[in-house]
Amino acid sequence: MKTKSPQISFFSSFLFLFIIAMAMVSCERPFSEEIATGEPTGEGEAHLRMSAITSSELSFSSIMSPRHSASAVASACSRITFAVYKDGERVAVTNQDVDDSNFGSCDMVLPKGTYRIVVVGHNGAGSATTTEVEKITFKNNKMTDTFWCTSTVNLSDDTDVSLNMKRVVAMFRLKVTDNIPANVAEMKFYYTGGSSTLSGVTGFGSVNSKQTEVRTVEEDMHTGGAEFEIYTIPHEQDDVLNITVTALDAEGKTVKETVFSDVAVTVNKIRQYEGEFFSESAEEGRGKVLVTVDDEWGGTDTEAF
């Protein structure tokens, strides 16, 4: 009686497992998340053509201009993501950067049905992670000026959708009016109360984040008038931050540290604290508020400290 060769038995087992693995992969999703442009393969598919626009980055006078168009997106953000969800699951995504020829527009061919579209524009180092619609994150959790829009579409035929993104972040700006000591190399901002994770459904922050940003002190900043800006996504239109600002020397040692408590921030507005940070008490004189207009945001609230 002949026995099977060990080599043949091993090959047969390997081939069987390979076929099973390929079948599982092919059944994982009904269609690819990375959708290429092309033509529908049958009556059950259609084009979904999306164009992102935004007016948040323009001055108030520019918004009224007839020249306002989707091309303005490039002046607001350097990266944009178009994500499409069905029943809460992401089924298609396209990431673009500002060097792409079609930046701000996207053409997908999808099975006909009802979808949620989420578009996110920002200025970070990498594309936004949009796997979970309620928890959109950014590379290293670093926040920049960020824009968002969502829309529901019933794709029953070729469809064109215009997505008007709006700013979802608030900015805190520290303006240091006194001279920064020569040994200060960095300014570290540690803050809580906001979020670095975006809900693609509401446009607000969806987690309670502990954010840290470090800003290099350039040579010309030592003579006064230095400005440092940080961003967060509020959990609602108005939110409150607690911010610890630490001046560090080249070895990472603390030169001066000040805590700003209960800092009120608002979506699409800049909260600016201005004063002598390196004086004996940076907290003295806080409470004086001056509201001024900022053409590129919804306004700047300036508070002396």
Side-chain angles (χ1 to χ4, degrees):
M1 180 177 178
K2 293 183 178 181
T3 59
K4 291 183 180 180
S5 168
Q7 290 84 356
I8 295 176
S9 177
F10 175 80
F11 178 80
S12 299
S13 299
F14 176 82
L15 182 60
F16 177 76
L17 292 173
F18 179 80
I19 292 171
I20 294 296
M22 290 299 99
M24 292 176 65
V25 170
S26 64
C27 295
E28 185 179 356
R29 293 189 183 277
F31 47 90
S32 173
E33 286 187 340
E34 289 288 350
I35 299 297
T37 57
E39 293 301 321
T41 58
E43 292 295 325
E45 294 184 337
H47 282 280
L48 176 59
R49 303 184 184 95
M50 297 170 282
S51 296
I53 62 174
T54 179
S55 57
S56 296
E57 83 284 1
L58 302 175
S59 67
F60 297 139
S61 59
S62 299
I63 293 173
M64 306 304 296
S65 170
R67 294 174 60 88
H68 172 52
S69 66
S71 62
V73 172
S75 66
C77 51
S78 59
R79 296 184 185 275
I80 195 167
T81 296
F82 295 89
V84 180
Y85 302 84
K86 187 171 182 63
D87 300 325
E89 180 182 10
R90 191 184 70 179
V91 294
V93 62
T94 293
N95 296 306
Q96 300 175 348
D97 63 45
V98 71
D99 293 328
D100 294 336
S101 59
N102 61 335
F103 185 73
S105 62
C106 179
D107 183 355
M108 295 181 178
V109 175
L110 300 171
K112 294 179 180 180
T114 301
Y115 298 96
R116 175 184 291 277
I117 303 168
V118 174
V119 57
V120 179
H122 64 104
N123 295 283
S127 297
T129 300
T130 57
T131 308
E132 297 183 56
V133 68
E134 289 279 11
K135 293 183 178 180
I136 295 173
T137 59
F138 303 86
K139 187 173 182 179
N140 298 324
N141 294 321
K142 299 301 183 183
M143 293 307 308
T144 60
D145 202 2
T146 304
F147 303 83
W148 156 90
C149 181
T150 188
S151 180
T152 300
V153 60
N154 181 17
L155 188 66
S156 58
D157 203 346
D158 290 351
T159 303
D160 295 290
V161 181
S162 180
L163 299 154
N164 189 7
M165 296 190 296
K166 66 177 185 178
R167 181 176 279 115
V168 294
V169 293
M171 180 200 291
F172 171 80
R173 177 189 290 148
L174 177 68
K175 185 172 182 178
V176 180
T177 58
D178 54 345
N179 295 341
I180 298 179
N183 64 330
V184 174
E186 294 177 333
M187 298 287 284
K188 183 176 76 173
F189 296 79
Y190 170 77
Y191 49 113
T192 59
S195 181
S196 59
T197 301
L198 173 70
S199 166
V201 176
T202 67
F204 293 118
S206 58
V207 302
N208 294 318
S209 299
K210 297 178 180 179
Q211 297 176 254
T212 301
E213 295 288 345
V214 178
R215 299 288 184 259
T216 301
V217 176
E218 305 295 343
E219 187 64 32
D220 59 354
M221 294 180 176
H222 290 284
T223 56
E227 295 184 2
F228 304 94
E229 298 173 344
I230 58 174
Y231 300 87
T232 195
I233 307 173
H235 294 94
E236 51 190 352
Q237 187 66 20
D238 299 294
D239 216 337
V240 176
L241 305 181
N242 291 303
I243 307 172
T244 301
V245 184
T246 309
L248 302 170
D249 65 15
E251 297 180 351
K253 296 179 180 179
T254 299
V255 176
K256 177 68 183 291
E257 182 170 276
T258 297
V259 177
F260 299 103
S261 302
D262 300 327
V263 178
V265 293
T266 302
V267 173
N268 197 38
K269 292 190 74 173
I270 300 170
R271 171 69 66 174
Q272 177 171 295
Y273 275 35
E274 180 176 347
E276 296 182 351
F277 182 85
F278 293 93
S279 63
E280 287 300 316
S281 177
E283 291 286 329
E284 290 180 1
R286 284 190 56 189
K288 181 180 180 182
V289 178
L290 172 65
V291 179
T292 58
V293 175
D294 188 309
D295 282 345
E296 295 185 354
W297 287 61
T300 301
D301 292 342
T302 303
E303 182 170 337
F305 65 82

